[in-house]
Every structure is written in structure tokens, then in C-alpha cells.
Amino acid sequence: MINAVLVFNNSGQPRLTKFYTQLDTAVQQRLLSEIFTLVANRPSSSCNFLPLPPLLAPSKSSTIAPVSSTPTDTPSLITYRHYATLYFILISTSTESPLALLDLIQVFVEALDRLFENVCELDLIFHFETLHAVLGEMIVGGVVVETGLEKVVRGVREQGKIMRRMGNAGGRSGGLGGGILGGFGLRGV
């Protein structure tokens, strides 16, 4: 199970934080800081897998709401990739394949790149709806449901068409309808 998806810029500012397990806000903030520090300080020649920091290591008084009582449901692995100015990070249980998680990150980035036609950090800031739509097409409740690049991109574009129809049905000639289209990265579609 995937417990969290995080995207940071090189300065450590979060651009996406999506948690699939219940955590206190204070724990989330400490976790974000610790994980970025761990990942950013690693040499580029290091592998893309890390053990989870002690903050979330399984304990008797854990703040994580467990899915079941088996020890394999606890978060234990950080998988990440660094692309240009952004770090894409997944926190997962030991039941997930680290290589499959690297592939998931790759598909996520490629989908964003296709939707934004050369994605950059500003696209993620100003069109966060698209970022969440892509993630929603790929992961539901911490479970990977789709890794096919074409299906993910098509699903997000279909969401944009629905939003455009809803905007046009409301009698709006611009305003919200145009903003939603832009938000889904459908330039010229």
C-alpha cells in the first residue's frame, strides 16, 4: 500500500502532499521535513530507496491508523526520483515492489509532461487540479489502480471535457469554464 505521495522542489517546498493514512498534522509536518532532508542530502549516485525515518517506524503507540494488524501494513520504505527541480517521493509498505514504485513515479511524471507539454514547477503550482487528477487516476485509497500512461492521460482529459461541458451548461462564456480547462492542462485540445 502507498501511504503518501510527496513532491518537493529543490528548496524543500512541498508542491504536493497526499497522505493515504491518517496522521496528526504535527507528525505530517515533521515527516515532510525529515524526508526532504534525507532525500536531498543523498548523492546522485545512491539508490532511490530509503528506510523510513524513526518518526514513522512501527511502535506500540503509533499515530498511524493501521489497515489491519499485520506488520506488513506499516509504512517502511521511501522510494524517490529527482527530475530537474523536483523530487517525487512515495512512502509505502514493504509489500510494494520498489521497482514498481519507481515505474509508477515515471508514469506519473510522463503523464504530467504530456498534459502540460513539457511540465515545470509552475505548472504544478498554478494547475494543481491536474496534478491531483493524474494522481487520482493512478492511485485510489493508497492502492495503485492504473499504470498505463495512455489510460491515465485519457482519463484526465475526459475529466476536463466534463468540466468544460458543466461550465458551458451554466451559461458562462468565459470565467470559470476557461479556467478549469486551463487547470486540466488541455491547451489546444
Side-chain angles (χ1 to χ4, degrees), residues 52-64:
L52 196 64
L55 179 63
L56 280 185
S59 69
K60 293 177 185 169
S61 62
S62 178
T63 58
I64 299 171

Side-chain angles (χ1 to χ4, degrees), residues 30-92:
R30 284 184 42 217
L31 180 67
L32 293 175
S33 175
E34 283 189 33
I35 287 180
F36 176 75
T37 302
L38 283 171
V39 169
N41 290 333
R42 288 175 63 87
S44 60
S45 60
S46 295
C47 73
N48 295 35
F49 314 111
L50 287 165
L52 196 64
L55 179 63
L56 280 185
S59 69
K60 293 177 185 169
S61 62
S62 178
T63 58
I64 299 171
V67 176
S68 72
S69 61
T70 60
T72 58
D73 286 338
T74 57
S76 61
L77 181 67
I78 298 170
T79 306
Y80 73 96
R81 291 284 303 262
H82 185 214
Y83 294 95
T85 62
L86 296 169
Y87 289 93
F88 292 81
I89 302 168
L90 299 176
I91 301 172
S92 66

